[in-house]
């Protein structure tokens, strides 16, 4: 399963007041996603990017039945749960922990925070949605207590159907998240400047 391999940057975790967990996409690396930090208002954050074994968090599409992505999906979620616990052990409160992911990493970000809903600093999902062949509401409980969440995606996107993004937004809003969703026509499977600006404005403020 996934080995604990956390690449760090930014402020020292022991002295920082905020932490950002950055989750890379399929075929990418922790260093890749950390490269986005220079565009974000996170200069004083501790930055932590877990590295997926073989550069993939789970083997199939995020739209596959969850069993087809096991045991890798559960292993990836466990890595994040341990990382959040470690950050809190260093004295950073849950409400000062932030998340950001792209593509497969955005799906994992959304799945993790919705399975572990609470008051977080905020979350950014660049092209992603909740994981599964359908939405499994029984997996999600708790309240986000107004946690700001930004979700951006393209219409169309080859990997992430717009309807799944909209369904994800509805679930998060029903659980008390302050979700801002942006759907960009023909953006492609990438991250654009407007998304970065909105992430800074709404989450890393």
């Amino acid at each position: 399963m996934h080995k604990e391999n956390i690449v760090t940057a930014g402020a020292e975790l022991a002295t920082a007041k905020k932490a950002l967990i950055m989750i890379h996409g399929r075929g990418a690396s922790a260093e890749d996603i950390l490269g986005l930090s220079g565009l974000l208002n996170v200069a004083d954050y501790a930055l932590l990017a877990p590295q997926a074994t073989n550069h993939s968090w789970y083997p199939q599409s995020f739209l596959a039945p969850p069993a087809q992505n096991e045991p890798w999906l559960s292993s990836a979620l466990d890595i994040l749960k341990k990382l959040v616990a470690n950050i809190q052990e260093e004295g950073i409160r849950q409400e000062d922990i932030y998340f950001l992911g792209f593509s497969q990493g955005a799906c994992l970000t959304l799945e993790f925070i919705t399975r572990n809903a609470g008051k977080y600093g905020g979350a950014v999902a660049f092209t992603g949605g909740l994981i599964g062949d359908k939405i499994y509401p029984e997996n999600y409980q708790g309240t986000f207590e107004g946690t700001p969440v930004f979700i951006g995606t393209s219409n169309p996107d080859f990997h992430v159907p717009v309807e799944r993004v909209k369904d994800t937004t509805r679930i998060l809003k029903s659980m008390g998240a302050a979700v801002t969703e942006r759907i960009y026509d023909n953006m492609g499977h990438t991250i654009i400047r407007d998304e970065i600006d909105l992430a800074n404005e709404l989450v890393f403020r």
Side-chain angles (χ1 to χ4, degrees), residues 2-204:
H2 293 291
K3 297 178 182 177
E4 287 191 53
N5 180 9
I6 313 298
V7 181
T8 61
E12 291 292 330
L13 185 59
T15 57
K17 291 184 171 57
K18 296 181 178 181
L20 170 60
I21 298 171
M22 306 183 75
I23 307 173
H24 68 77
R26 190 190 300 269
S29 70
E31 288 83 4
D32 291 335
I33 197 75
L34 283 170
L36 274 180
S37 63
L39 301 174
L40 304 170
N41 297 335
V42 295
D44 58 341
Y45 289 50
L47 308 176
L48 304 100
Q51 174 64 54
T53 299
N54 299 322
H55 301 276
S56 180
W57 292 110
Y58 41 85
Q60 307 297 327
S61 164
F62 86 109
L63 296 171
Q68 294 183 14
N69 277 315
E70 295 294 357
W72 292 98
L73 175 57
S74 290
S75 177
L77 292 167
D78 190 53
I79 288 285
L80 294 183
K81 193 163 191 175
K82 289 178 180 176
L83 182 53
V84 168
N86 289 342
I87 291 170
Q88 290 179 287
E89 286 171 6
E90 290 292 335
I92 295 179
R93 304 174 303 169
Q94 179 176 284
E95 53 262 44
D96 291 319
I97 298 175
Y98 296 73
F99 300 84
L100 178 147
F102 170 64
S103 191
Q104 193 187 52
C107 297
L108 186 60
T109 293
L110 291 165
E111 188 71 16
F112 176 79
I113 65 170
T114 312
R115 289 191 184 209
N116 300 275
K119 176 65 173 174
Y120 297 107
V124 174
F126 294 127
T127 311
L130 291 172
I131 294 172
D133 54 318
K134 62 180 182 177
I135 298 289
Y136 290 87
E138 63 270 23
N139 289 337
Y140 312 126
Q141 55 188 336
T143 175
F144 284 105
E145 300 179 41
T147 296
V149 178
F150 172 73
I151 305 175
T153 196
S154 176
N155 182 25
D157 182 88
F158 181 74
H159 300 285
V160 182
V162 167
E163 279 309 309
R164 177 55 59 90
V165 174
K166 292 180 178 178
D167 289 344
T168 298
T169 293
R170 282 193 285 270
I171 291 283
L172 268 67
K173 283 184 174 179
S174 75
M175 296 172 66
V179 184
T180 300
E181 175 194 277
R182 286 289 185 274
I183 299 171
Y184 301 87
D185 289 335
N186 300 305
M187 176 177 72
H189 197 70
T190 187
I191 301 168
I192 62 172
R193 185 73 214 195
D194 192 64
E195 292 180 288
I196 295 289
D197 291 344
L198 283 168
N200 282 326
E201 175 188 339
L202 299 167
V203 179
F204 306 117

